[in-house]
Amino acid sequence: MAMATPQGTPYLVGPVPFEDVGGGGGEDHIVAVPPPEDEYADIVSAMPSTTMIGFPLLRYQGSWLLKTWVTGVLSVQRRFAPRPDDVLLASLPKCGTTWLKSLAFSTMARAAYPPSAADHPLLRLNPHQCVPFLDDLFSSGEATKAVEALPSPRLMNTHMHHSLLPPSVTAGKCKIVYVCRDPKDGLVSMWYFAKSIMPAGSTYTFSDMFEHACHGETPNGPIWDNILSYWRASRAHPDKVLFLRYEEMLLDPGHAVTNLARFLGVPFTAAEEAEGTSADIVELCSFKAMKVLPANNTGTFTMLGFPHRSLFRKGVAGDWVDHMTPEMARRFDGIVHEKLRGSGLTFAAP
Ligand code: A3P
């Protein structure tokens, strides 16, 4: 959004689409710069490792990280300089990140980009091109600078556990919005996502992935630790950490957007309510509307090489019933239930 200083010089007010100001190449631009692997080589080589769906995972500070994001996470911990008005979206992969990005972007940027406008950035850009992903970007010095150059307030996202975030973030003023999803549906979503980039002839099965997940070995897993870290933070600091549930958002997206706007300090005014602004945001970001946009159903991200369309599969709750046996579901629910015991957070009863 372009504003003018008292001297008349135009300046930008965030959030603005990262693609538009981050160097012009979006995610393609990000991987063009070699990651600062040398700096972290000793730390990275000492990390325990495993492989899941053909992806190397490294164990770092209690979390399994995709190897490709490890240097970024280390860089975020050392270099990320939060601003008091930053907003950080957090989630496990495949649990509603894309939707949360679009909702938060369109809510925060609605003055500059009315959600019903024909030229809204989300009509031409994938939500990931609007909201930068720190864990990947910070593995590149050039992309780090692009994030640093974003106008305030910045809107960014991470998959890191809350406990991995630098103290400057967790003790600072910036707000965090976490979206949580039934882990069984998250796993099914990850399976389809992985299949979209699996080498032809791979013999890796859903059962193999399920076993890894039961042992906590998924990207940014263990799943329960990632969820719990934000759940506890939201209980301790409800003014700083908002904990959303994907299933509740599906049931009442209007309430989710109103809640989000209030938490972010930009509640809808009476005039906006009368104009239906929150309903316009819900519509703009709806699965049905987003799935058919060229920015979301064509093209491929350079990061991990996955097609944009793989981010918009079904967008429903409970798809696990068609992919897990009752025994698998009982086992996984049981593990999660045990891990969450005493936290006040529950999913399906085992
Ligand atoms: P499914 O694979 O179960 O359909 P992430 O963005 O974290 O990768 O999560 C992807 C999941 O969110 C996918 O779930 C995808 O379909 C769903 N999703 C993407 N956009 C959505 C939207 N606008 N509304 C609801 N769900 C959405």
Side-chain angles (χ1 to χ4, degrees), residues 91-103 127-128 157 159 179 181 185-186 188-193 246 249-250 282-291 296 306 309-320:
S91 58
L92 278 164
K94 311 320 296 168
C95 289
T97 317
T98 312
W99 191 18
L100 181 60
K101 281 189 178 195
S102 52
L103 290 172
H128 295 271
N157 91 293
H159 289 316
V179 61
R181 187 181 194 187
D185 281 339
V188 170
S189 185
M190 184 174 300
W191 171 244
Y192 282 97
F193 180 71
Y246 178 84
M249 291 164 65
L250 281 178
V282 168
E283 174 55 27
L284 173 71
C285 304
S286 71
F287 182 82
K288 212 171 139 207
M290 297 214 103
K291 189 180 167 75
N296 296 329
F306 60 86
R309 70 171 174 282
S310 66
L311 294 166
F312 301 87
R313 191 183 64 92
K314 269 191 161 178
V316 298
D319 195 33
W320 61 266

